[in-house]
Amino acid sequence: MCRENEVDILRGVLSSDHAHMFVSVPPKRAISDLVRKMKGRSFHKVQREFPAI
């Protein structure tokens, strides 16, 4: 997803219930749209792997 949107993840830290990322985003991309896409994709992946959640 980041490659598709010309976004580079510079740093990241994963926790048990959230993630922190330092990213480089082109000025033509809205941060809110990027976050929405990332959350949507991660939600669907978790939902497929753990349907009981």
Side-chain angles (χ1 to χ4, degrees):
M1 202 249 7
C2 288
R3 246 179 271 131
E4 295 169 10
N5 291 286
E6 304 171 33
V7 173
D8 293 321
I9 300 174
L10 304 176
R11 270 192 165 181
V13 177
L14 293 176
S15 194
S16 62
D17 60 350
H18 64 279
H20 291 272
M21 289 189 289
F22 185 61
V23 296
S24 175
V25 181
K28 64 183 177 184
R29 300 276 181 230
I31 299 292
S32 58
D33 289 340
L34 178 67
V35 170
R36 182 180 46 80
K37 288 177 184 179
M38 293 173 113
K39 289 174 97 175
R41 287 204 182 173
S42 62
F43 170 77
H44 289 295
K45 185 172 183 173
V46 169
Q47 193 175 37
R48 278 193 307 272
E49 290 185 33
F50 306 99
I53 293 180

